Amino acid sequence: MLSIGLKHCVEKTDLVKPVSRYIGATYKGDDSKQAQQHAMTKHRDRVDLVTNLKTIATNKKAKADAFRSLIGKHYEYFAYLKSVQQRFRVANAKAGWSFSLNPFATKIIHLSFTWSDSFNRHLRFTSHDLEHEKASILLNIAALESLEGVRSDREDQQDIKKALHCFQNAAGTLEYITSTQLRRIHTPKSGDLMPKLLLMLKETMQGQAQECVLEACLLKKVKPSLLASVAQAASIQYRKAIGYCEGYQPGEWLRRCAYPWRMHLQFKERTLRARAIFYLSRSLMDDEKWGHELAALAKALKTAKRAKQILADMKGSGLFNQKIQFAVFDRMAAEIDAIEKGILKRHKTALRENEAIYHHRIAKESQLPDIEAKLIAQPSAFAEPPAESKSPYNNLIPAKIQETAAAFRQEMKDLFATKRESSEEKAEQIRQSLQSLNLPAALDAREGLEGIPDPLWARIETLQTKGGMEHVDGLLKQVLSSQDKAWEIFNSTKSALEVEQSDDAKLRVDFGGSWTRAPSRELTVEFQNQLTTVEGYLKRAAHADEKLTTKRKKQGGCMELVVGSRSEIEASVPKLSSKDQQPTQQTPETPEEKALKGNLDKLNKVIEARAKIISLAESKFFEIEIDAEILNDQAKKISIEETKTRLRSTIDLYTTKLDKIDTLQKDLLQQTQQNNDAWKDRLKASPSMAARSKFFGDLNAGVEAFETLTNNLMQGLKFYGDCMATYLNPLTSQVNDFIVAREHEKKMYMDQITRALAAAGPSSAKAAQPSFSGQGMYGNVPVA
């Protein structure tokens, strides 16, 4: 019997630094230190596991306890990998070559695993995917089970039963890899994880388990008809295994293997078939069908001789046609010699007895009854081990929850940004409404006979200190330049993806079914979603920039009034006529004027209050430990959406206050309109006062334009900086890496198709298939 080749770790794998760095950068406190220590412990455990694999492979006298212990360590390591997956964000590709982008995952673990090939230890494959590492561990578990079964003596019922269970466990593990684990791997796979090869191994292990059943039946001396059925079922299992060796992909990979797997399976299939037919002959003898017995014996002998010829061919086969002698060949020779000897002995006896006593006509082979196969040995169901239950990692918040919380934080940040934008629009409504009433300019015009009121000059002086017109124009130029750069990066990234998709679609049309690489449209869904998000942000920003540019042009004349010293600006203030001047140099304040000033003061407070309420709401919300809230609610079986709804409700009080502020603003503007109308009715018509009011109105408008533009342009610069740093630059980098990887993969596909066509010849060119499936079967070229 054969065991599955063990995979050996041929390069040192570091499980400490990447995991510890991630934990140290993401978490704080004692839990973080304990988790880092756990990472060190598990790294040492993996080193021990790799060492023990080498030891047990060479130790021919290893006991069952050693196998059970090592298999247990593989289960523990598998559970550890699941814990890492559940808690942390782990890349499935080499650093810088990730095919996915998550703007909220600012930290990520990059790991590297290099294993030898199960069929040829000189071949190696490096993966960066935890799911691929888990598949390698599962394959080693199956290999250890099979190795324990092969090394079992199988001399009594107890030993046979142990070997049977080992082969059943191996078959069940292989079945799990094929049906479940392979589907989780979305990166290139090593050759020994080819589905057909795994199925071949599974059928082989099940066939060997059925052989154990046959051996147990022989010890119990059951009826020949049952022996024939059991042997026939084992033969059929090997025949199924041979079927999975067919085809270019598995055939090419097995040709790299030093051991002739396919011929071994053919030998076993013929041997078990010969035994089944021999047991059939014994059953026919019991039924006194002497002619049929002789026909069965002749057929069994012919089948045994064919098996013997296959063994002879095996001894002359191997890599580069070298005659490599394996120890198993001697056992196989002894097995077929014993079978052939037993058949010959009975054939001679039966022939002599028939000629001397029974005189039955020898039946034709076609007249022999079919042997009903009874498959007793079934694969044992594999139970995937759960993640570590007492790991220090369990005290850390999982990466998925961190990302969910980060996405929710971003959602709320966007909400608060929208509220600020709405607040600014409502503040602008106040300014425009007051400007249409020439307020507070009309009031400023009556403050004194000459000069600029001190509060107004203080605002002008602040603007001039910042750089005045040059400062505003410089900011506007920077914003528009940042907008152009952002759109340039966006369009370049989007265009690169479109070109790659177009190229992939063309290759799919050109090569048809031979082009089995995963379609680009399936791999770039997340990229497209991110592009759509960024495009929405940029369009909103471009619209805002257009409004700012229009405002700069529209308010240019008013803004020019703010330029100059105080004396220069005051010299431009229109003078009151002598009849409008009072002896006190100050006009008396009317009740309506007093009411107006009160209204203006309240409106200014409305603007300030709205901004303050939003800031308080934002501060209150972000005091919440969102990660912990989501984690606690999940433990209580509360959905994430319900948690979000509950957390959003913490700002309901502030939202209510904002609604009241909106109502107050509406009432104040209405009162201001009424008070302004009443005040104007009390004032005498005065051209000089009207000119003075208009000047102060324009001056106020210029100051407000300066303040608004400066504030909005600074926000615009921050937006573009954040947008490029958080979204565009990472997205572009990921897309570029993706395209480079796809180009590399395309070249490998093209080379493989070319080799396939050359091997198949012109007549089979259309049927040639590349040795890839899914996203690429061989991501790394095996090196002998």
Side-chain angles (χ1 to χ4, degrees):
M1 294 184 181
L2 281 184
S3 65
I4 302 167
L6 286 170
K7 294 172 73 70
H8 294 283
C9 191
V10 294
E11 290 183 11
K12 185 178 179 181
T13 296
D14 188 356
L15 288 181
V16 181
K17 289 181 181 178
V19 178
S20 294
R21 276 200 301 262
Y22 177 93
I23 294 172
T26 309
Y27 307 99
K28 304 298 178 186
D30 293 338
D31 288 342
S32 173
K33 293 178 182 178
Q34 292 176 9
Q36 288 175 313
Q37 185 61 43
H38 186 62
M40 175 66 76
T41 302
K42 287 302 176 180
H43 171 74
R44 291 171 183 161
D45 289 347
R46 188 183 191 277
V47 172
D48 292 341
L49 181 148
V50 170
T51 303
N52 291 339
L53 276 174
K54 294 179 181 178
T55 302
I56 206 165
T58 55
N59 184 8
K60 304 296 183 182
K61 296 181 180 180
K63 296 183 179 180
D65 290 345
F67 283 100
R68 291 298 104 194
S69 174
L70 188 51
I71 290 172
K73 288 182 178 180
H74 277 73
Y75 274 93
E76 290 175 6
Y77 178 52
F78 189 96
Y80 173 69
L81 294 178
K82 289 188 70 173
S83 294
V84 171
Q85 280 182 307
Q86 289 181 3
R87 292 286 153 178
F88 312 135
R89 170 156 282 276
V90 185
N92 61 2
K94 190 175 181 180
W97 287 68
S98 177
F99 286 2
S100 64
L101 173 69
N102 188 328
F104 308 114
T106 56
K107 308 176 192 69
I108 194 166
I109 297 174
H110 291 276
L111 298 171
S112 176
F113 310 96
T114 302
W115 291 92
S116 64
D117 187 81
S118 179
F119 291 92
N120 192 329
R121 60 187 178 86
H122 298 296
L123 304 181
R124 61 185 62 183
F125 183 88
T126 299
S127 172
H128 307 276
D129 187 355
L130 274 185
E131 293 296 347
H132 192 283
E133 173 72 351
K134 286 161 66 177
S136 298
I137 294 303
L138 292 176
L139 185 54
N140 258 0
I141 290 175
L144 287 168
E145 293 280 8
S146 68
L147 186 58
E148 183 182 358
V150 167
R151 290 185 181 177
S152 178
D153 293 333
R154 305 199 308 279
E155 293 179 353
D156 55 32
Q157 289 285 357
Q158 192 66 25
D159 287 343
I160 291 174
K161 187 176 180 180
K162 288 181 180 178
L164 168 64
H165 289 163
C166 287
F167 292 129
Q168 285 179 307
N169 291 341
T173 305
L174 291 164
E175 189 172 57
Y176 181 83
I177 298 173
T178 307
S179 63
T180 304
Q181 187 59 35
L182 287 186
R183 296 179 182 178
R184 299 171 178 172
I185 304 174
H186 302 293
T187 55
K189 306 176 188 68
S190 58
D192 52 8
L193 291 180
M194 195 183 304
K196 280 194 173 184
L197 290 182
L198 292 173
L199 289 171
M200 180 270 286
L201 291 175
K202 179 255 178 184
E203 298 296 346
T204 302
M205 293 301 107
Q206 195 172 352
Q208 293 181 166
Q210 184 73 6
E211 276 194 82
C212 290
V213 174
L214 179 61
E215 291 174 355
C217 291
L218 288 170
L219 290 179
K220 290 183 178 181
K221 298 181 180 179
V222 301
K223 292 182 180 180
S225 58
L226 178 58
L227 291 175
S229 295
V230 172
Q232 180 72 0
S235 173
I236 291 174
Q237 288 305 120
Y238 285 115
R239 195 180 309 158
K240 289 179 180 178
I242 294 170
Y244 288 120
C245 294
E246 304 295 337
Y248 180 79
Q249 295 177 12
E252 182 69 19
W253 200 256
L254 290 176
R255 275 191 287 273
R256 295 172 179 265
C257 182
Y259 188 80
W261 271 87
R262 191 171 186 277
M263 297 181 74
H264 175 93
L265 296 174
Q266 291 173 335
F267 170 82
K268 295 297 293 184
E269 190 272 334
R270 292 290 201 288
T271 301
L272 268 298
R273 198 197 312 172
R275 294 178 70 173
I277 298 171
F278 175 68
Y279 297 138
L280 172 65
S281 71
R282 298 287 300 275
S283 177
L284 293 171
M285 180 190 71
D286 291 344
D287 294 339
E288 299 182 355
K289 296 181 179 180
W290 316 113
H292 284 75
E293 180 200 5
L294 284 169
L297 287 168
K299 185 177 179 180
L301 184 61
K302 184 170 63 175
T303 305
K305 289 183 180 295
R306 178 57 187 141
K308 203 167 186 178
Q309 181 58 49
I310 292 173
L311 179 60
D313 293 341
M314 287 175 67
K315 292 181 178 180
S317 65
L319 199 62
F320 307 118
N321 294 321
Q322 293 177 352
K323 293 186 177 181
I324 304 173
Q325 297 300 315
F326 294 91
V328 69
F329 287 170
D330 294 335
R331 294 194 294 271
M332 293 166 66
E335 177 187 5
I336 192 63
D337 286 344
I339 292 172
E340 185 181 34
K341 184 177 179 181
I343 296 172
L344 278 171
K345 182 179 179 180
R346 176 57 197 161
H347 186 264
K348 289 179 181 179
T349 302
L351 190 61
R352 186 171 58 252
E353 289 176 350
N354 187 55
E355 290 176 352
I357 304 173
Y358 308 116
H359 306 292
H360 281 208
R361 182 187 298 275
I362 299 176
K364 296 180 180 179
E365 283 188 11
S366 58
Q367 295 176 324
L368 292 175
D370 293 332
I371 303 174
E372 181 184 358
K374 289 188 177 180
L375 183 61
I376 298 173
Q378 297 293 338
S380 298
F382 176 81
E384 180 177 317
E388 295 177 313
S389 59
K390 297 182 179 180
S391 169
Y393 294 166
N394 294 342
N395 298 326
L396 306 177
I397 296 175
K400 289 183 179 179
I401 290 182
Q402 287 183 322
E403 291 169 20
T404 301
F408 184 46
R409 286 192 192 93
Q410 185 62 42
E411 176 188 329
M412 294 304 293
K413 283 180 181 178
D414 290 343
L415 175 64
F416 287 119
T418 301
K419 287 188 176 297
R420 283 198 178 88
E421 186 177 339
S422 174
S423 174
E424 182 58 34
E425 289 176 356
K426 289 170 182 176
E428 187 63 24
Q429 289 176 6
I430 292 176
R431 297 187 191 101
Q432 290 178 1
S433 179
L434 294 179
Q435 190 173 352
S436 67
L437 300 176
N438 199 25
L439 293 173
L443 294 173
D444 290 340
R446 294 175 58 81
E447 285 292 321
L449 298 179
E450 298 178 352
I452 301 172
D454 289 338
L456 181 57
W457 172 250
R459 294 168 66 192
I460 294 173
E461 191 174 32
T462 301
L463 297 175
Q464 290 181 350
T465 303
K466 291 181 179 179
M469 293 285 286
E470 291 182 1
H471 177 61
V472 172
D473 290 341
L475 286 176
L476 181 59
K477 186 176 180 180
Q478 289 180 54
V479 167
L480 295 178
S481 175
S482 297
Q483 180 194 136
D484 291 340
K485 185 177 180 180
W487 276 113
E488 181 183 353
I489 296 173
F490 172 84
N491 291 328
S492 174
T493 305
K494 184 177 181 180
S495 176
L497 275 179
E498 289 173 349
V499 169
E500 199 282 328
Q501 287 188 16
S502 175
D503 180 58
D504 181 69
K506 183 177 183 301
L507 290 168
R508 206 165 297 282
V509 172
D510 291 344
F511 291 98
S514 297
W515 196 257
T516 57
R517 185 175 69 162
S520 292
R521 65 177 181 275
E522 295 179 4
L523 299 179
T524 58
V525 171
E526 194 170 355
F527 287 147
Q528 298 296 347
N529 291 338
Q530 290 297 324
L531 283 171
T532 301
T533 300
V534 173
E535 186 175 24
Y537 287 153
L538 290 180
K539 284 183 177 180
R540 285 172 55 189
H543 180 66
D545 295 343
E546 185 179 357
K547 288 170 66 176
L548 293 177
T549 304
T550 302
K551 184 166 186 174
R552 168 65 183 89
K553 293 178 180 178
K554 186 177 180 180
Q555 299 290 346
C558 297
M559 294 171 69
E560 291 289 345
L561 297 175
V562 181
V563 179
S565 64
R566 183 167 187 172
S567 59
E568 289 173 341
I569 298 174
E570 286 179 340
S572 302
V573 178
K575 308 297 181 182
L576 287 173
S577 62
S578 57
K579 65 178 183 178
D580 290 328
Q581 297 181 15
Q582 300 294 328
T584 59
Q585 300 279 313
Q586 178 74 35
T587 55
E589 188 176 68
T590 65
E592 292 80 7
E593 188 174 353
K594 186 177 181 179
L596 268 179
K597 288 182 179 179
N599 292 146
L600 294 181
D601 185 55
K602 289 178 182 178
L603 286 170
N604 285 329
K605 288 180 179 178
V606 163
I607 295 174
E608 294 173 2
R610 189 180 277 118
K612 188 175 181 180
I613 289 171
I614 294 173
S615 295
L616 286 173
E618 187 172 22
S619 176
K620 178 72 174 177
F621 179 81
F622 287 112
E623 286 177 359
I624 301 171
E625 294 290 340
I626 298 176
D627 310 65
E629 293 290 337
I630 295 176
L631 186 62
N632 292 336
D633 281 1
Q634 278 198 342
K636 299 173 185 176
K637 307 299 182 183
I638 298 174
S639 70
I640 290 177
E641 287 306 317
E642 289 177 306
T643 304
K644 288 181 178 180
T645 301
R646 178 176 62 80
L647 295 179
R648 287 191 195 99
S649 67
T650 58
I651 64 170
D652 287 349
L653 175 64
Y654 300 96
T655 303
T656 302
K657 289 183 178 180
L658 287 175
D659 293 339
K660 290 181 179 179
I661 289 287
D662 291 344
T663 303
L664 178 59
Q665 174 178 320
K666 183 178 179 182
D667 294 342
L668 283 173
L669 287 176
Q670 189 175 358
Q671 291 176 18
T672 302
Q673 176 72 48
Q674 295 171 353
N675 290 331
N676 186 65
D677 292 341
W679 180 56
K680 282 186 176 180
D681 290 341
R682 290 182 63 99
L683 294 178
K684 296 179 181 179
S686 169
S688 61
M689 184 60 76
R692 185 178 172 87
S693 296
K694 183 180 183 306
F695 177 84
F696 278 107
D698 292 341
L699 192 62
N700 270 289
V703 171
E704 289 176 359
F706 261 113
E707 293 173 340
T708 304
L709 284 171
T710 302
N711 183 48
N712 290 341
L713 289 172
M714 290 297 292
Q715 290 180 9
L717 283 176
K718 184 178 184 302
F719 162 78
Y720 284 115
D722 291 345
C723 182
M724 284 190 275
T726 306
Y727 288 97
L728 271 177
N729 290 338
L731 177 59
T732 301
S733 176
Q734 295 288 341
V735 168
N736 289 339
D737 290 342
F738 169 76
I739 291 173
V740 170
R742 290 285 279 182
E743 282 296 319
H744 176 69
E745 189 181 41
K746 181 177 79 172
K747 183 179 182 300
M748 294 175 67
Y749 267 72
M750 296 294 290
D751 291 346
Q752 192 64 46
I753 289 176
T754 302
R755 289 197 297 270
L757 291 173
S763 61
S764 304
K766 292 184 179 180
Q769 296 285 332
S771 57
F772 293 87
S773 67
Q775 295 185 23
M777 180 61 69
Y778 313 125
N780 293 19
V781 179
V783 181

